Amino acid sequence: RPGRTSPTRPPSPTMPLANIESYAKDGAVADKADLWTYPETSDGWYRIHNTIKAEMAKFSAGIAACKSPLEAWQVEALQAYWKGHSDLTHDHHKHEDEMFTPMLKEKVNYPEKLEADHEALTKMMAGVDAAAGKLAAGGDVSALVAVFEPYRKTMEAHLKEEEEIVVPLMRAYFEPEFVGKKVEEIMKTMDKTLMGSFVHHQGSKKDFQAFQKQEGIPSFVWYLNFKACRAKYRAAMETRIQALLTGAAPTKKLISKKDLALAMKVGETAPGKYSWKITPESAAAPATAGNAT
């Protein structure tokens, strides 16, 4: 029954999907929700969405920090950061389109709009690709802003719709162990810089190790893989946002939180809380003014 929770399953702070049984296909039964022992907002789907939203917020802040005329290093930083974000987003959509959407379609009537959204977003990203490619020293960011901000708004709406529809369907119709095997496959094959973005935007080492425990990933894997992925991401991506925000060309790759302080505070509304980050705690709290990036 929609909205029902068991004593061992924490109640979801999000609104339950109405008439979840109406999505059933070929007699599938929506009876798996009580098997999930953590809230929807702690799911990897929410977490990668938080990562995508964080990068959009940082790119927007980096653009806003650029005054005309652009310097060559600013052009390079904006182009490189956008490419990194584009790679992450296309990778995420590939996982959805090739793994999770076919999985869901086995048991539910998957909303056609969500698939169409991917096509529309791909076209919008191509527009940002073109605008970023045309940036030049001595120019300005007006054409880039004109295509990036509509993309960001559309992407955020799409991510929210997936969270409200797809995540509840997945958890209602599929066992966590079955989904977990797909998550494991993604994490084993994901590009290290892209994985680094995911690790970095979960928060501290302690925060990420809580996710590892949730997913049954041994703690030592932090030292074998995830820590290095985070460092690789910070050096390649956060360094460029830090430079754009300070207005000074980067002279070395940065890794420490101290050196990346401005980049890591984008969207911060309170210590450890961000406008782009949905957590079990933030989803349960009432909305407040001041959540703008």
Side-chain angles (χ1 to χ4, degrees), residues 220-260:
F220 65 81
V221 180
W222 167 263
Y223 300 98
L224 290 180
N225 184 32
F226 296 134
K227 182 179 180 180
C229 289
R230 185 182 69 174
K232 186 177 179 71
Y233 175 79
R234 288 179 174 178
M237 294 282 280
E238 288 286 278
T239 295
R240 289 182 164 98
I241 293 298
Q242 181 72 16
L244 290 169
L245 296 179
T246 59
T251 57
K252 62 179 182 178
K253 295 179 179 180
L254 306 176
I255 295 176
S256 74
K257 291 189 291 185
K258 180 180 178 181
D259 288 340
L260 295 168

Side-chain angles (χ1 to χ4, degrees), residues 11 21 24 64 99 106 120 122-123 126 131 140 167 183 205 230 244 253 291-292:
E21 291 92 346
M99 296 177 67
E106 292 177 5
T122 296
K123 291 179 181 178
D140 61 44
V167 175
V183 174
K205 169 187 171 183
R230 185 182 69 174
L244 290 169
K253 295 179 179 180
N291 275 340

Side-chain angles (χ1 to χ4, degrees), residues 104-123:
L104 286 158
K105 283 183 173 181
E106 292 177 5
K107 293 189 177 184
V108 305
N109 292 300
Y110 193 82
E112 293 181 2
K113 178 184 180 299
L114 295 177
E115 290 186 277
D117 282 352
H118 279 197
E119 295 177 11
L121 284 163
T122 296
K123 291 179 181 178

